Amino acid sequence: MSWTEAGFDVFGQHVLWTDLVGNVCALGTVWLAIRRTIWTWPVQLVGSVLLFVASVSAHITGNALKQALFGILAVYGWVKWSRGTRGGAELPIRSARAGERTALVGVMVAGTVAVALLFTFLNSRGWNISWAPWPDAYIFVGSAVATWAQGKALVDFWIIWVAVDLVGVPLAFSSGLVVSGLVYGLFFVMVMIGFRGWLRQSRELRAVIA
């Protein structure tokens, strides 16, 4: 057995170490994001690499692509937050403007349709890239949009994560990634805490500026 398939059995389910440790990093990423610390991004980068390996082993192409994109966006967020907190400044978080929210929703809808059709086409050509093109596409695009918005320090990224989790939880369990399924459930609770904290902070910053 290779290291990518190494793990242990719990109640008849094989738990991959890459899935377990990667999700610990993912939980750490959310906790660090709630605290608005720059360490959010390097931890996310490590977790993305491990979950990419776990997803490839479980043949969940959409999730694997999502993790690859996470790695790229982690670098983007790292750079953006480093600039925003330069000199010890407070991270300038804010709510998205009406136009930005419309753009975020538009990208999620259009992106999901485009990626799902691409997955379906590739499947028809024998690539077997995804056994569930539409959920995979939704998770892939939604996660990308949420992480991009997080890099921009927009409060709204928390709400996008809620929408992604509603699909991610059942998909993870049905794919045999038990740890990922449980972690998605914990994400929901942590996301709500993070949203409340970020929203309060953004209002305080807006009041100071005004």
Side-chain angles (χ1 to χ4, degrees):
M1 178 184 295
S2 67
W3 69 271
T4 60
E5 299 177 345
F8 55 93
D9 294 329
V10 177
F11 301 119
Q13 290 282 349
H14 186 66
V15 179
L16 297 172
W17 282 113
T18 50
D19 187 31
L20 177 60
V21 179
N23 276 296
V24 169
C25 289
L27 283 173
T29 296
V30 178
W31 181 75
L32 291 168
I34 291 174
R35 296 173 61 84
R36 301 182 296 280
T37 169
I38 195 67
W39 283 101
T40 298
W41 301 107
V43 172
Q44 177 173 314
L45 184 58
V46 172
S48 296
V49 172
L50 293 173
L51 290 176
F52 173 83
V53 174
S55 298
V56 170
S57 298
H59 307 291
I60 309 177
T61 306
N63 199 57
L65 291 173
K66 178 186 73 174
Q67 297 305 329
L69 186 59
F70 270 11
I72 297 172
L73 290 174
V75 176
Y76 166 78
W78 199 341
V79 172
K80 292 288 290 185
W81 282 27
S82 294
R83 292 175 179 173
T85 57
R86 189 171 296 164
E90 186 80 15
L91 182 67
I93 63 176
R94 63 179 177 83
S95 295
R97 303 181 185 91
E100 291 173 321
R101 286 177 180 152
T102 300
L104 290 172
V105 173
V107 170
M108 280 191 66
V109 173
T112 297
V113 172
V115 173
L117 291 176
L118 175 61
F119 284 173
T120 301
F121 172 76
L122 293 175
N123 282 349
S124 69
R125 295 292 179 174
W127 284 68
N128 296 322
I129 195 169
S130 171
W131 65 269
W134 287 92
D136 272 351
Y138 175 80
I139 291 173
F140 175 61
V141 175
S143 298
V145 172
T147 307
W148 181 84
Q150 180 183 347
K152 298 283 288 184
L154 299 178
V155 176
D156 306 67
F157 91 89
W158 293 105
I159 299 302
I160 300 173
W161 274 124
V162 171
V164 171
D165 285 349
L166 292 177
V167 174
V169 172
L171 184 63
F173 275 117
S174 64
S175 301
L177 294 181
V178 180
V179 176
S180 289
L182 293 173
V183 168
Y184 268 122
L186 290 175
F187 275 165
F188 181 83
V189 177
M190 296 178 72
V191 161
M192 297 310 297
I193 294 173
F195 173 67
R196 185 178 63 178
W198 273 51
L199 184 61
R200 181 177 63 249
Q201 182 68 18
S202 69
R203 288 172 175 171
E204 292 175 355
L205 289 173
R206 189 169 59 220
V208 171
I209 295 174

